[in-house]
Structure formats: C-alpha cells, structure tokens
Amino acid sequence: MRYIIISLLFMSTLWSETSYERGEYLYFSKACSSCHGPSAEGSMSYPKLAHKKFAYLQKKLLHFRTGKVDSVSQQMMAQFAEKLSDEDIKNLCTFFSQHKENMTEDVSDDYLGGVGS
Ligand code: HEC
C-alpha cells in the first residue's frame, strides 16, 4: 500500500506542469517566439519580454486583447493576444518575468519543428 501511495505522489509531480512550463509551451506553440525571439530577448521593433515585470506584461497583454490599439505595431500584437485566455496570459507572464537566462536550445528547436531558432 505504501508503495502505491509513493508512486502515485511521484507520478502526480510528473504530470503537474508548472505555470512557468505552460507559459514556455504557449510562447513557442503560439509563435510568439517568431517575433520576440527564442529567448524572449526581442529584436529591433519587437520588444524584449524576458525579465520584465509580471504586472506590466499582464496589463499590456490584457490591453492588446481588447483590440483597442492605436498603432500598427500594437495592431500586430493584438491579433496574437486576442486568442489568449486569462490563464494563458498568467502563464506567459510567469514565464517572461521568471525567465531563465539559459533556456535550452532543444526546447525551442522542438517547438519550431527544427526550423531555425
Ligand atoms: C508578428 C510579430 C509578433 C508576434 C507573433 C507576437 N508579438 Fe508581441 N509584440 C509585437 C510588437 C511589434 C510589439 C510592440 C507593440 C507596441 O508598439 O507596443 C509587441 C509587444 C508585446 C508585449 C508588450 C511588451 C512591452 O514591453 O511593452 C508583450 C507582453 C507581448 N508582445 C507578448 C507576446 C505574446 C505572448 C505573443 C504570442 C502569443 C506575441 N507577443 C506574439 C510583435 C509580435
């Protein structure tokens, strides 16, 4: 009996993804990385997201999601934000604000289907 409980506990830790991991998954699966970069480092007109404050990013995404945007670059973002749920936004902002510098190259390669990184 004890072994069953121990193995169930062990399996549940394997199954329960953290908010950070869900955010990371969304970031690559929703193609955010194609503009903001594989390490959320940004480039040119695409802002860096890694290590910015949770509350700031969440406010931005909620704003973009309303679609009430007033520039072409915000318009670009709005179409990606409109498909995000509140939960998605929380997970993404957790991922950005707690971003681990050395993100595994393998992860981005996987999600991008091996096409560039
Ligand atoms: C087509 C390119 C593109 C894609 C794809 C894209 N973004 Fe953006 N994103 C932008 C641009 C451009 C801005 C700057 C908008 C502005 O002028 O405020 C931006 C801004 C942001 C900001 C605000 C950053 C800040 O410091 O103000 C967040 C947060 C963000 N994007 C998250 C995401 C997430 C999450 C996804 C995926 C669901 C995503 N973006 C996909 C282009 C993109």
Side-chain angles (χ1 to χ4, degrees):
M1 186 61 192
R2 189 147 44 115
Y3 294 112
I4 296 176
I5 292 172
I6 290 171
S7 51
L8 279 178
L9 279 175
F10 177 69
M11 287 193 305
S12 67
T13 58
L14 285 183
W15 281 329
S16 59
E17 269 184 306
T18 62
S19 178
Y20 183 96
E21 286 162 346
R22 284 195 293 266
E24 183 178 24
Y25 177 77
L26 285 166
Y27 183 69
F28 291 103
S29 63
K30 303 236 174 227
C32 316
S33 58
S34 64
C35 287
H36 294 281
S39 304
E41 75 283 14
S43 72
M44 296 188 293
S45 50
Y46 307 125
K48 171 185 162 147
L49 304 174
H51 305 135
K52 285 193 177 166
K53 294 244 182 324
F54 181 99
Y56 167 81
L57 296 171
Q58 187 184 34
K59 202 174 138 198
K60 283 278 182 165
L61 284 174
L62 291 172
H63 173 74
F64 291 142
R65 197 176 64 177
T66 65
K68 292 188 189 122
V69 292
D70 48 23
S71 73
V72 176
S73 62
Q74 291 187 3
Q75 186 74 53
M76 207 190 288
M77 232 346 273
Q79 41 180 310
F80 288 92
E82 74 181 4
K83 299 175 200 112
L84 301 173
S85 67
D86 288 350
E87 199 60 30
D88 290 345
I89 291 182
K90 273 192 207 137
N91 293 334
L92 282 160
C93 295
T94 302
F95 171 60
F96 300 140
S97 58
Q98 300 174 13
H99 199 275
K100 297 174 189 142
E101 209 70 66
N102 298 323
M103 215 171 48
T104 52
E105 296 265 319
D106 302 354
V107 174
S108 53
D109 279 354
D110 270 5
Y111 291 128
L112 294 171
V115 193
S117 62

